[in-house]
Amino acid sequence: MTSMNQQWRLVRRPQGTIQPGDFTWHEIPVRPLEEGEVLVRQLYLSLDPTNRVWAATDSYLPAVAVGDVMRGVGVGRVEDSRHPGFRTGELVQGLLGWQRFEISSGRGLTRVPSLPGVEPAMFLHVLGHIGLTAWAGVLQVGRLQSGETMVVTAAAGAVGSIAGQIGKIRGGRVIGVAGSDEKCDWLTRDLGFDGAINYKTQPVRARLQALCPDGIDVQFENVGGALLDAALAHLKIGGRVALCGLIAGYAAATAPPGIANLHYLVSRRARIEGFLVSDFASRAREAYGELHGWLTEGRLKVRFTIVDGLGEAPAALNRLFDGSHDGKLLVRID
Ligand SMILES: NC(=O)c1ccc[n+]([C@@H]2O[C@H](COP(=O)([O-])OP(=O)(O)OC[C@H]3O[C@@H](n4cnc5c(N)ncnc54)[C@H](OP(=O)(O)O)[C@@H]3O)[C@@H](O)[C@H]2O)c1
């Protein structure tokens, strides 16, 4: 029997938050496989801030072409295979797109290891691109040392919550910046952060001064804008900014105001370094080994917000920008 595919196609470059008319829903039969192809049934689709960038403009990847299936990372099961490298029933991860089924040549598709007690969704969180980003940003780019102070923005989100916990595991003092009291309580009570700042209700610069009286060694930056500007003024001599993302600008109708405190990089002999998770693909095995170990020991805690149904994907993407999710945001498809 022919399976039906369901897809979201991009039909208009979004302006501001995602609007209902930016994507259209399609239902088409899955075509038969050709030699060398593999059919994947997607289980979970990862919603990432970068999806909003991919829909709008060229970045480190070309923008999704208008009319194409929206790009997205997912985890799924091989439904059928005419590819020598993949067997029916195997769990795989890759750019499966905003659709129920993906026909792949196998390029960019990786087999997910079978780890006892580990749910497939975990491979889109701490044991996937999120965990590797946090690991690389804290340890390779920020080079956090024991006893140093690290500040993390979007700290209750997917990358931020893992980055902060890695900082604690490695002996750092960690302060999180997040958008609600509930999120701040989670950081300090459950994840062991040393302090948290609700940037929506508290004066960030004054709170950074109070919580980091000797300055910031590592700024793990996920947001940019006013939060990054405030942190630059508190960098220690030799401070490092691991520039992971700038979500404050991704869906903004106009570009956020520029950085006023750049001059502190001179007087503090500090550096700011952008990075992409893909730069650390060669370290993935080492990173996942450490992350899985910490997870198994209960030293890393994770939270998910799981939205049911592929139909919800466009509206759910906006939750990354208004903060109405906890931890990793996923769509459960099957
Ligand atoms: N460099 C890389 O390779 C790489 C890889 C993955 C992710 N990233 C980046 O990492 C960052 C976090 O990604 P994620 O997937 O973990 O998302 P996430 O943190 O789970 O979700 C985004 C969070 O950002 C906060 N936020 C949104 N707009 C904001 C604003 N204007 N000001 C302050 N906070 C805002 C919201 O939390 P609040 O409730 O706290 O506002 C929201 O929950 C993003 O910048 C993303 O682009 C980079």
Side-chain angles (χ1 to χ4, degrees):
M1 199 184 74
T2 309
S3 300
M4 287 302 283
N5 201 0
Q6 296 167 321
Q7 305 175 321
W8 279 112
R9 291 176 176 265
L10 179 72
V11 290
R12 183 174 71 194
R13 302 237 173 265
Q15 307 278 329
T17 53
I18 298 293
Q19 301 300 314
D22 293 341
F23 297 93
T24 50
W25 180 255
H26 295 257
E27 301 209 0
I28 50 165
V30 176
R31 67 165 172 80
L33 289 185
E34 293 176 6
E35 200 53 44
E37 289 184 333
V38 52
L39 176 66
V40 181
R41 177 189 285 269
Q42 189 162 199
L43 303 176
Y44 290 97
L45 168 69
S46 173
L47 292 181
D48 297 283
T50 197
N51 296 163
R52 173 62 184 74
V53 179
W54 292 343
T57 182
D58 291 337
S59 57
Y60 57 96
L61 288 179
V64 176
V66 170
D68 275 6
V69 175
M70 179 58 195
R71 188 187 293 141
V73 175
V75 67
R77 213 167 272 292
V78 175
E79 183 96 343
D80 193 8
S81 179
R82 294 188 64 188
H83 189 294
F86 296 95
R87 285 199 314 270
T88 303
E90 282 181 329
L91 207 56
V92 290
Q93 196 231 50
L95 284 172
L96 303 181
W98 285 24
Q99 56 184 347
R100 185 176 291 276
F101 290 102
E102 160 74 347
I103 292 179
S104 166
S105 66
R107 246 187 61 205
L109 202 63
T110 54
R111 250 190 311 276
V112 163
S114 176
L115 300 170
V118 174
E119 292 292 319
M122 210 59 104
F123 296 102
L124 297 176
H125 193 349
V126 63
L127 299 181
H129 60 300
I130 299 296
L132 184 57
T133 303
W135 180 91
V138 175
L139 302 177
Q140 311 306 321
V141 183
R143 296 183 204 150
L144 183 76
Q145 305 298 313
S146 180
E148 288 190 331
T149 295
M150 178 170 77
V151 172
V152 185
T153 53
V159 171
S161 60
I162 303 300
Q165 292 179 85
I166 293 172
K168 289 305 301 172
I169 289 168
R170 285 300 177 92
R173 247 191 102 245
V174 178
I175 307 299
V177 181
S180 73
D181 289 345
E182 190 280 332
K183 288 184 179 184
C184 288
D185 286 348
W186 180 58
L187 297 177
T188 51
R189 283 197 202 143
D190 294 349
L191 302 192
F193 281 43
D194 298 281
I197 302 170
N198 179 345
Y199 73 89
K200 290 187 177 165
T201 59
Q202 297 180 328
V204 174
R205 202 162 159 175
R207 292 293 294 143
L208 284 175
Q209 175 68 53
L211 289 168
C212 313
D214 300 324
I216 300 168
D217 295 285
V218 176
Q219 175 74 13
F220 192 109
E221 188 56 54
N222 286 318
V223 172
L227 296 185
L228 172 59
D229 221 12
L232 293 182
H234 288 288
L235 285 177
K236 266 191 195 167
I237 289 178
R240 287 89 69 197
V241 180
L243 193 58
C244 179
L246 296 166
I247 194 170
Y250 297 172
T254 53
I259 296 291
N261 287 327
L262 211 53
H263 61 93
Y264 284 100
L265 293 182
V266 180
S267 54
R268 309 281 162 77
R269 282 79 103 200
R271 69 179 171 83
I272 184 162
E273 183 178 346
F275 69 99
L276 284 177
V277 59
S278 49
D279 302 337
F280 295 90
S282 64
R283 308 284 302 269
R285 184 182 286 267
E286 173 191 355
Y288 293 139
E290 279 201 290
L291 291 162
H292 183 239
W294 293 330
L295 194 64
T296 311
E297 291 159 13
R299 299 173 80 192
L300 274 183
K301 295 186 180 134
V302 294
R303 256 188 181 181
F304 288 95
T305 297
I306 296 183
V307 174
D308 269 307
L310 181 62
E312 302 302 315
L317 186 64
N318 286 332
R319 299 178 66 169
L320 295 167
F321 298 91
D322 65 18
S324 61
H325 69 103
D326 294 311
K328 179 66 198 137
L329 181 62
L330 297 180
V331 174
R332 180 167 27 216
I333 298 179
D334 228 323

